[in-house]
Amino acid sequence: MALFGKKKDAPAPAADPKVAAPVKTLDLRDNPDYIRVYDQFGRELFIEKERWRKDVLPGNLKSAWNHPDQLYSVIVNALNDGFLADILHAAEHLYRTDPLPARGACVYGIALMKSNRLQEAEDIFQNYLRQHGEDGSVLTNLAKVYSAQKLEQKAEDILWHALEVDPNQDNGLGWYAVLHRERNGEQGWLDALRRVAALPTSWRAQIWLAREALKRRELKDALELYRESLSRAGADVPAELLMQMSGDLGQYGHLPEAVQLTEPHFKAQTHGLRVGNNLIKAHLDLGEINLADRILNDLYALKRPDWRETLSFWDTEIAKARVKATPVDQGKQLAAALLCIEGPIWLKHDSPAAELFAPTAPASLSICFLGSTAELQTSGEVECQITDAPGRLSRALPLFLAEQAAFSTGAGVQTLVPWIVEKPGGFVLSGKPWSDDEAAQYARQAQTRSDYVVVSHLKAQVEPWSAELRVLRTEDGKLIGSLAASFPSARPEEVVPALAGGLISLLVREAQIATQSPPVLYRIPPNAHFGSYLVRLEQLLAIRTAAMDETGPDFLNGERAIIEGNLELCVTFPESAVTRILLVQTVLAMKKVRPEVIAEFKEKLQLLERTKPLPQPATLILQKMFEEVIRD
């Protein structure tokens, strides 16, 4: 259908999740019976179409009733979702009140046409033309009315006149060109486009002709058509022009030309993801990583939740490109060290939140945790790569086991993480487990001398994965016990919590460690959300490491996805002090390395504190910590 004006990259609907009980699952994305929405925190949710129609759409129409731009968007989305009968009254209201009369006439007339009320639709369009003069979109829709009435010649005459008034209507131009293709084949199609391109203000026909020139490998002719199109379009170049031009040039391998013609006109706010996508890909394919990253950050700054998945994809691709551009000298011995994390990683000893988990008695002994090893299907050579699932879990597992031991036994805990000292730095992931002697030696040399060391190792060559734990006495390296368990890599919740419980039992049995009840506030996300919790532990480690002087500026990637993931855990478990502290510590660490990213989340963080406060006594402490986060 030919709607008024230019197509806009409009955001998907927002909804209060309490209204229609939406569900969150990727399996529903392509299900026609569900509508994708975003809540106030930007979370992607899905609502059954019928529940949306009954429970959400009426409220959206009511709240937008006196706001024409919003009402137009609600009506168009509802039309696209098939809710014609539900928006007829609203479309009539917009027609009578819209400060853009052509928009109101088009949307109401289209709704009437879809309702097969053709004479009423014709009256709407004719009435507009009498009152306001000629408009290309109104004339094109009037031509559609005549076509539906089987008045084909009259429809075609009106359609041509509509193109004379505005030759750049996507629907009108497409309809006109297809009519002539049906009559005279490809030559008819080309002749129709050339006829429209000859009109004084045409730019759209030129880019379609340029595509045909590219197919014939006539780059010079295509570039001339693109330049003509740009000169006709004026200062504010439409997104459709830049998107098709950059996309077609890229598809046919003319990347420098795509960037040279497109980028001088690109404005993220105006042209959005549709054009930004093509520019990011072109820059990456040309090896211009920083230029791709600049466009990505411009798009992220617009805070569009419906773009998040695509932008996260490009974030990862840019990180991969940076890693690929970092050569590894196979003959060079890389200098490594062990980072030491004391206590649970999210509970620094000097944090205000520490008093919420204060131990009942001094630690009677100390336990060291050492992981960062995983057996993989690799070449066996030293490789530089972005963090993958085995590497992340190899670091998250000892961090999780450390906090479990701390809260279940009262022992002092520390986690050792191997790290490449030379810039740009990086976590070490070894394919072989630590030997007993190595593990005991490193534990003895740690910041705090440990009584025992727990060594974890993953086997991740094939599904299911397996995790192995060995518990050693530090003073002599004697093995006092071991544990192992298998689990699907996507569902660590099936084994890891139980593995931690088995470790505590082993320590009690073999090392005579006393147990205690964990603090009341120590509640972690259960079931399917547990895997996300493990990821957030490792990401906090990565952010803190990124702040070290020895770390290169490009070590960290996916910064926004990290904050989003933490926010989602907090929204899903609003009474969990653990997830809230983890979020605050993550954001505080991120503020040191990427303060511009935190600025993008300031409103969501304030919304979380305002709408989902923790129960006392955690509220006051967390409020003070959040004040430090949002302080400029």
Side-chain angles (χ1 to χ4, degrees), residues 45 55 88 97 122 218 257-258 308 415 432 492 562 575 578:
L45 304 167
D55 298 340
L88 269 173
T97 60
E122 179 183 350
E218 296 172 352
E257 292 83 357
R308 186 188 308 143
T415 307
K432 297 179 180 180
I562 293 173
E575 294 187 357
V578 173

Side-chain angles (χ1 to χ4, degrees), residues 167-373:
N168 299 310
Q169 307 168 67
D170 189 12
N171 287 280
L173 177 60
W175 183 15
Y176 182 76
V178 166
L179 283 175
H180 288 273
R181 172 185 271 162
E182 291 172 349
R183 292 172 189 165
N184 301 304
E186 287 304 304
Q187 191 58 47
W189 161 270
L190 291 172
D191 289 344
L193 292 177
R194 292 187 182 111
R195 198 174 302 122
V196 176
L199 295 171
T201 59
S202 167
W203 57 259
R204 190 182 292 276
Q206 279 86 333
I207 63 175
W208 288 9
L209 287 167
R211 175 181 287 172
E212 299 300 323
L214 290 174
K215 290 179 182 177
R216 299 190 300 269
R217 299 187 179 183
E218 296 172 352
L219 176 61
K220 182 179 178 181
D221 291 347
L223 294 177
E224 289 179 1
L225 286 163
Y226 286 136
R227 293 189 183 102
E228 180 183 346
S229 179
L230 289 168
S231 68
R232 296 267 190 97
D236 296 323
V237 180
E240 299 97 314
L241 193 166
L242 296 182
M243 178 182 68
Q244 183 167 322
M245 178 176 67
S246 58
D248 287 350
L249 284 168
Q251 180 179 349
Y252 286 94
H254 305 298
L255 298 178
E257 292 83 357
V259 171
Q260 291 163 11
L261 285 175
T262 306
E263 191 145 8
H265 304 281
F266 175 69
K267 301 172 185 175
Q269 181 74 44
T270 303
H271 302 118
L273 185 62
R274 292 182 293 166
V275 180
N277 250 339
N278 292 341
L279 285 174
I280 292 172
K281 178 168 175 51
H283 280 307
L284 278 179
D285 288 347
L286 289 168
E288 299 166 345
I289 300 172
N290 290 336
L291 294 176
D293 194 40
R294 178 178 58 79
I295 294 173
L296 177 68
N297 285 320
D298 288 344
L299 293 172
Y300 262 128
L302 297 176
K303 304 177 185 178
R304 288 285 297 269
D306 48 329
W307 294 355
R308 186 188 308 143
E309 183 177 1
T310 302
L311 296 182
S312 180
F313 166 80
W314 287 123
D315 210 343
T316 301
E317 291 301 301
I318 289 171
K320 288 179 180 177
R322 284 203 169 106
V323 167
K324 189 175 180 180
T326 305
V328 177
D329 186 349
Q330 296 296 326
K332 182 180 179 181
Q333 185 70 34
L334 297 175
L338 288 171
L339 306 177
C340 182
I341 298 94
E342 291 192 327
I345 189 168
W346 46 266
L347 196 66
K348 287 185 172 182
H349 70 276
D350 58 351
S351 167
E355 66 180 82
L356 297 173
F357 298 88
T360 56
S364 58
L365 53 81
S366 177
I367 307 172
C368 181
F369 292 81
L370 179 61
S372 298
T373 65

